[in-house]
Amino acid sequence: MPLALFPRRLVRLAILVSCLPLAACSTLRYYAHVAHGEASLLMRRRPIARVLRDDATDPALASRLRLAQQARAFASSQLGLPRNRSYTSYVDLHRPYVAWNVFATLPYTVEALPQCFPIAGCVAYRGYFDPAAAQARAAQLKSQGDDVWIGPVPAYSTLGWFADPIVSSMLRWDDDELASTIFHELAHQRLYVKGDTAFNESFANFVGQEGLRQWRKARGLPPPDPHGQAMDQDFTALVLDLRGRLQRLYAGTHDPAALARGKQAQIGAFRRRYARWRDTRWPGDHRYDAWVAAPINNARLLPFGLYDRWSGAFAVLFERAEGRWGAFYAAARALAGKPREQRDRALDLLAGGTPASSGGAGQ
């Protein structure tokens, strides 16, 4: 997912000019924070080729970086993704994640409070390189009564403005997740619609998933594990069902007491549905238990509605392009050029024709 970008000229203003309105000062401080975090990453990059030549490099790290470079080359040669310096360097973060995204909603809505930036447009979150800064922002929003969730970010994209590195947090994943994430993040550089997170993330998710399928095939491996993929899709559908129920609840009354009771009742009913679904469909598999047991609010549901909404629609678009990446990207770009309402209607129509094998979670 792309971290909110910043204009370097504005960062200099944040350092040199006093801020008069509080909101403007806060915004400039945020740009300065992001500029400092990005600059720190850029200064610590090491070309992967140099890391691999270094005799001091741990063999396990070298093996993962070689795989990342093979996936990076495949992305450009076979998937039509940008051929540039992104993901050809490495940074050891010495922390578990590269960034933390703060999501927020009003207490009785499932729509994100948008965060708007000059380059990225309006997105559904605000990204921080420092977890303490993310926590401070979350506390500020909570004090206003908003629902808030902080999502850790193992990988990120600056949409091609900088040569983004492979970061150490990406290497904790298995080989499939590492490769698909490289494809996903490069897809953001291939096509990005300012202000439409659902379109951008669904597009990149599809490219990552289909790219992974082709990557495995090229390496003589079977398709990705159908069990895990099917369970992921089913769980996403369960969460989106909760989101829909909450949306209908919030639209049905303006009584704060009734809304508060109804919200907690819906979340409790979701946990019971989850337990029945798990024990009936996936007995013995408890991979989502911790997620369901943790506190749930509107903001915690946002990534499901945003990152999976149109994945099936893009699968149909790819099928109609007869699996040709150039034709697929051209069709996606044509959709991106439509006004928002027309684009959403077109994606809805495509989603109605989602092939059963496409992985159209959340439809």
Side-chain angles (χ1 to χ4, degrees):
M1 65 183 67
L3 192 71
L5 300 177
F6 57 92
R8 284 175 285 180
R9 181 179 302 174
L10 193 56
V11 170
R12 287 197 294 270
L13 288 175
I15 296 169
L16 297 175
V17 180
S18 296
C19 304
L20 296 179
L22 179 61
C25 189
S26 174
T27 299
L28 292 174
R29 281 198 300 269
Y30 172 71
Y31 288 145
H33 163 81
V34 175
H36 180 269
E38 177 66 24
S40 175
L41 288 177
L42 296 179
M43 289 188 294
R44 292 159 57 198
R45 288 178 303 183
R46 295 178 65 201
I48 289 177
R50 185 180 303 167
V51 176
L52 294 176
R53 289 196 301 267
D54 189 340
D55 292 339
T57 298
D58 180 85
L61 172 61
S63 176
R64 302 309 309 288
L65 290 177
R66 286 191 193 96
L67 180 84
Q69 289 310 90
Q70 291 164 8
R72 178 66 186 84
F74 185 86
S76 296
S77 65
Q78 302 300 319
L79 307 182
L81 293 170
R83 190 183 301 274
N84 55 30
R85 291 173 51 235
S86 291
Y87 310 112
T88 64
S89 61
Y90 173 67
V91 171
D92 188 343
L93 296 170
H94 301 290
R95 61 180 190 257
Y97 299 102
V98 65
W100 288 260
N101 282 340
V102 179
F103 295 83
T105 73
L106 295 175
Y108 302 118
T109 177
V110 294
E111 302 302 324
L113 288 172
Q115 305 292 319
C116 299
F117 306 97
I119 297 172
C122 294
V123 296
Y125 49 83
R126 181 178 284 199
Y128 292 85
F129 286 108
D130 180 359
Q135 291 285 356
R137 173 64 174 169
Q140 178 190 27
L141 292 166
K142 286 179 183 177
S143 72
Q144 298 169 186
D146 298 330
D147 277 12
V148 181
W149 180 65
I150 299 176
V153 182
Y156 80 113
S157 170
T158 56
L159 309 179
W161 284 80
F162 299 101
D164 302 317
I166 296 284
V167 289
S168 54
S169 53
M170 296 169 64
L171 301 183
R172 298 202 310 270
W173 295 322
D174 63 23
D175 291 353
D176 282 0
E177 193 69 23
L178 175 59
S180 65
T181 299
I182 291 171
F183 305 152
H184 177 115
E185 300 301 344
L186 286 170
H188 283 309
Q189 296 185 20
R190 190 68 166 78
L191 178 62
Y192 183 87
V193 179
K194 189 172 181 178
D196 194 340
T197 303
F199 180 96
N200 296 325
E201 295 298 340
S202 297
F203 168 77
N205 270 352
F206 171 75
V207 173
Q209 292 164 8
E210 177 60 24
L212 175 62
R213 190 191 67 79
Q214 295 188 15
W215 161 249
R216 289 183 62 89
K217 183 178 180 181
R219 300 172 71 217
L221 299 173
D225 172 29
H227 172 95
Q229 189 176 47
M231 190 175 184
D232 288 347
Q233 292 169 16
D234 277 4
F235 182 71
T236 295
L238 270 179
V239 175
L240 290 177
D241 177 67
L242 169 61
R243 191 172 183 269
R245 290 169 187 258
L246 289 172
Q247 188 171 30
R248 291 189 290 275
L249 168 70
Y250 300 153
T253 180
H254 298 290
D255 176 30
L259 287 169
R261 288 193 304 270
K263 181 178 182 179
Q264 294 310 309
Q266 288 292 350
I267 292 170
F270 162 77
R271 290 191 169 109
R272 293 189 292 274
R273 287 194 300 275
Y274 165 77
R276 290 194 298 271
W277 165 82
R278 178 200 60 203
D279 296 341
T280 303
R281 295 286 307 278
W282 311 98
D285 195 325
H286 297 273
R287 70 182 68 183
Y288 292 112
D289 284 10
W291 191 98
V292 173
I296 295 173
N297 63 19
N298 301 322
R300 198 155 180 251
L301 306 180
L302 284 174
F304 293 87
L306 292 169
Y307 301 151
D308 301 290
R309 183 178 180 187
W310 306 121
S311 295
F314 285 110
V316 174
L317 204 64
F318 188 75
E319 185 179 75
R320 291 183 181 178
E322 299 177 339
R324 293 174 293 120
W325 285 104
F328 167 73
Y329 292 137
R333 189 170 295 280
L335 276 177
K338 295 178 180 292
R340 179 68 173 269
E341 289 187 5
Q342 291 183 27
R343 183 165 65 243
D344 285 358
R345 282 198 300 270
L347 288 164
D348 268 332
L349 289 172
L350 285 167
T354 301
S357 62
S358 70
Q363 303 305 321

